[in-house]
Amino acid sequence: MKMKEYFNDLINHAIDIKASDIYIFPAGDNFNIKMHTNVRILEHSVIDSSFSKTLLNYCKYISNMAISENRRPQIGSFVYKLDSQKYYLRFSSVSNFSNKESMVIRIIYSIEDSDLSYADYNNLISLKKRFYKGGMILFAGPTGSGKTTSAYKLAKSISPKKIIMTIEDPVEIIEDEFLQLQVNDSANMGYDELIKVGLRHRPDIFIIGEIRDTRTANAAIRAALSGHLVISTIHANNKNGVINRLKQLNVDSSDINHAINTVVYQKLVNDKDGNMTAYMDINEE
């Protein structure tokens, strides 16, 4: 089988099972290929070192990475087409202690491709009403629980009437109706800088990928206090921990009280049929 055909089969299968990531990792003398879905990590196949090197070189070639470089970390991207639908692939490579190279391929879907279901759709209706209030809506919850998907779904439901800008690191969902910016640290365009640039475009809604540090937290709060609706995610173990996390990031308590609109803790749970569904615990401030 030609490498292009193998690669296409690999990506097609990942898309078919809605995998978010494909892992190509060294394991002894061979390489394991695994796929990450919202539910679990699935074993796909085991390939030998010679075949894996050809596969990695092909991935580097199509994503404009340096084929001869296998020591330093690299990133690349590629637009993959399947049945007239575009999927954006992000490649990341790095070598381990014994100079064996590994790669992760992230598949970025459009919001229409999301099959995330909700335990109680009344929560979505309630949140949509909160969108018109302004301020900041924060999502917390485990990795892979669909926080960004929920933010996009809600924003898209009112997008014909609003200008929506996203700032992410990296972009996780493709949405043509939004103006999507991506953090580029090498060009000194972090969250803080992009929020400042974004304010000049006067969007109605900011979607900020994740609040990770003090600068991003304070920039997001300032945007919310200036009259914009800001939607973001933050690491916290429950909805009550969100405010504490902002305080840990040195955000002024008064600014928090004036800026926060709603806090949502979202996680995936099994429904009565055993399927994964999103459960929201909402705290309206």
Side-chain angles (χ1 to χ4, degrees), residues 17 19-20 23 35-43 270 274 276:
I17 64 173
S20 59
Y23 305 109
M35 298 188 177
H36 193 292
T37 69
N38 278 340
V39 180
R40 62 181 67 89
I41 295 177
L42 303 174
E43 302 283 347
N270 287 316
M276 299 300 292

Side-chain angles (χ1 to χ4, degrees), residues 38-57:
N38 278 340
V39 180
R40 62 181 67 89
I41 295 177
L42 303 174
E43 302 283 347
H44 178 268
S45 58
V46 177
I47 57 178
D48 62 39
S49 296
S50 176
F51 190 83
S52 69
K53 183 175 182 179
T54 304
L55 174 59
L56 293 178
N57 284 345

Side-chain angles (χ1 to χ4, degrees), residues 15-79:
I15 292 172
D16 186 55
I17 64 173
K18 289 292 193 299
S20 59
D21 299 276
I22 301 171
Y23 305 109
I24 307 171
F25 286 173
D29 295 329
N30 298 312
F31 279 70
N32 287 338
I33 298 181
K34 302 180 180 182
M35 298 188 177
H36 193 292
T37 69
N38 278 340
V39 180
R40 62 181 67 89
I41 295 177
L42 303 174
E43 302 283 347
H44 178 268
S45 58
V46 177
I47 57 178
D48 62 39
S49 296
S50 176
F51 190 83
S52 69
K53 183 175 182 179
T54 304
L55 174 59
L56 293 178
N57 284 345
Y58 179 79
C59 291
K60 289 180 179 180
Y61 171 73
I62 64 172
S63 61
N64 291 316
M65 296 162 67
I67 294 177
S68 59
E69 178 60 73
N70 54 24
R71 291 185 177 182
R72 296 180 180 179
Q74 292 192 78
I75 57 174
S77 61
F78 180 70
V79 179

Side-chain angles (χ1 to χ4, degrees), residues 155-167:
K156 185 174 173 59
S157 69
I158 60 173
S159 62
K161 302 176 182 178
K162 302 289 183 180
I163 302 299
I164 300 173
M165 176 181 290
T166 77
I167 300 173

Side-chain angles (χ1 to χ4, degrees), residues 101-156:
E101 199 167 18
S102 64
M103 180 173 286
V104 178
I105 306 171
R106 168 65 60 89
I107 304 174
I108 304 175
Y109 299 89
S110 68
I111 196 65
E112 286 80 8
D113 290 317
S114 171
D115 57 358
L116 183 66
S117 61
Y118 295 87
D120 187 352
Y121 275 95
N122 289 327
N123 285 331
L124 289 180
I125 296 171
S126 174
L127 274 178
K128 185 175 179 180
K129 293 178 180 178
R130 304 290 296 180
F131 270 45
Y132 295 96
K133 182 182 176 182
M136 178 180 285
I137 296 177
L138 279 174
F139 284 82
T143 301
S145 58
K147 301 182 295 295
T148 301
T149 299
S150 293
Y152 266 74
K153 280 181 177 290
L154 288 162
K156 185 174 173 59

